[in-house]
Amino acid sequence: MTGEPLREHVVRQYSDHVNPYLAKLMQFAGFGVEVEAEGMYLTDQNGDRYLDFLGGYGVFSLGHRPRSVIDAVRDQLEKQTLSGKTFFNPVMAEAAARLAEITPAGLEYTFFSNSGAEAVEAALKFAKAATKRTGIVSTMGGYHGKTIGALSATGREKFRAPFEPLMPGVSFVPFGDESAMASAITDETAAVIVETVQGEGGVHVAPEGYLRAIRSRCDETGSLMIVDEVQTGFGRTGAMFGCDHEGVRPDIMTLAKALGGGVMPIGATLGTAEVWEKVFSVNPLAHTSTFGGNPLACAAAIASINAVQDQALPANAAARGNQLMSALLEKTAHLDLVAEVRGQGLLVGVEFNQDEVGELVIAQMVKRGVIAAYTLNNPRVIRMEPPLIVSEQEIEKASDVFAEAVQETSEILAAFA
Ligand SMILES: *Cc1c(COP(=O)(O)O)cnc(C)c1O
């Protein structure tokens, strides 16, 4: 089955067996069925190709189906798939050693899981066990996942309200406000959890000095600093990790999305020797995961880290990100719907000065063959997070399409005004 019959069939299955409300939303945005993907492009049921400027919200930093990661996973598939969990797992050991090499000094140990939310769950547990405290300070608009623990630290009322009460002891401060953060961190605080750029929250970059200020306040109070780099990790912001921009060393770091190279799901929680000693010395099995650290996912992680380094993707993200932001600004300067363009590296947000505009612009972009991200919770902001392998020409193309989409949207709105 291909073409329209395939689309109808899949939409019906979504409506009958997956999530009818989501199906309606996706249809409204004009999304088709993903059938194949390669490099910068997704192919739909009609064989039409789309330039992917969403990149799976940061998963596809290496593009779709990167050859070296596929080969590494295929080789591993022929040796061993999941871990037996009794003998030493050499692939996991190698992945942990590689992570220790590329992350800020002091982050020496890794616990592997299968997703971003799981990485955050482990981070929160480790912080509590290591400090014997219960307070967690998080930020409004912060996104850390939707399992109960991670949701407890996620600063979005809309996601939290239906599931309360959540984990107690979590307080929220405005993102970027140093003094609010300093007063929220006390000697009862186990940890602060913070992103270096709020992605889901609408692309807000931490102001200069913010992460350093959190670091020093944590040192004063004996609290731990958790940096959630699930989305910003592996070059996305133009440095290998978001916290590298400020030379800040967290006590705990969470990673996922791009770590599996867009081929395997994997999450990682890194920590210092002090944290590990307090969590695992009494009980080496204090935190475990059946699938976490499996050889297939770890083979993908090793190959991905190599690819990010070999292709100097952090530097490409910095250069292409600057190009994208200036192109978006320049090409929409005459269009008053655009309120602001902001971002860091290839994590870029465009804020419009009216609600509803975001989804209309996304639909117009899809019509013209470019995919970008829109969040229901932030209807004024769309996000662009292309694979870090994106070329100069592809940035030009996507920014042209964006400008056309905004132009068309303002004409549509004017017709209804
Ligand atoms: C996506 C994301 C998560 C959650 O990851 P999942 O794999 O969806 O559970 C957590 N933190 C940040 C910063 C994220 O962007």
Side-chain angles (χ1 to χ4, degrees), residues 59-79:
V59 168
F60 300 108
S61 283
L62 304 176
H64 294 273
R65 306 185 68 251
R67 184 49 43 200
S68 63
V69 181
I70 294 213
D71 287 346
V73 171
R74 195 173 272 148
D75 286 350
Q76 185 56 44
L77 203 48
E78 297 302 326
K79 288 188 215 153

Side-chain angles (χ1 to χ4, degrees), residues 109-121:
Y109 291 90
T110 300
F111 175 83
F112 286 105
S113 55
N114 312 283
S115 68
E118 277 179 76
V120 169
E121 294 289 331

Side-chain angles (χ1 to χ4, degrees), residues 115-118 120 143-146 195 200 228 230-231 256-257:
S115 68
E118 277 179 76
V120 169
Y143 187 79
H144 303 291
K146 290 179 184 161
E195 295 155 276
E200 286 291 318
D228 182 350
V230 165
Q231 188 148 175
K257 296 199 169 97

Side-chain angles (χ1 to χ4, degrees), residues 3-17:
E4 193 51 23
L6 173 64
R7 199 190 64 81
E8 276 174 19
H9 177 71
V10 175
V11 170
R12 194 173 321 115
Q13 286 178 322
Y14 260 65
S15 302
D16 293 349
H17 303 295

Side-chain angles (χ1 to χ4, degrees), residues 75-153:
D75 286 350
Q76 185 56 44
L77 203 48
E78 297 302 326
K79 288 188 215 153
Q80 193 193 15
T81 51
L82 302 178
S83 167
K85 293 275 163 185
T86 48
F87 286 11
F88 286 102
N89 171 350
V91 194
M92 180 176 79
E94 178 67 15
R98 291 290 281 125
L99 283 174
E101 265 170 41
I102 64 164
T103 50
L107 293 172
E108 285 164 36
Y109 291 90
T110 300
F111 175 83
F112 286 105
S113 55
N114 312 283
S115 68
E118 277 179 76
V120 169
E121 294 289 331
L124 297 173
K125 283 183 68 180
F126 294 176
K128 287 181 154 194
T131 58
K132 300 194 164 58
R133 300 177 184 177
T134 55
I136 302 289
V137 178
S138 183
T139 57
M140 295 170 185
Y143 187 79
H144 303 291
K146 290 179 184 161
T147 54
I148 292 282
L151 183 60
S152 303

Side-chain angles (χ1 to χ4, degrees), residues 228-260:
D228 182 350
E229 298 243 16
V230 165
Q231 188 148 175
T232 48
F234 304 103
R236 173 60 50 188
T237 66
M240 186 60 90
F241 297 100
C243 59
D244 292 340
H245 290 285
E246 296 230 336
V248 162
R249 189 214 77 179
D251 301 287
I252 297 176
M253 180 190 268
T254 52
L255 298 169
K257 296 199 169 97
L259 176 56

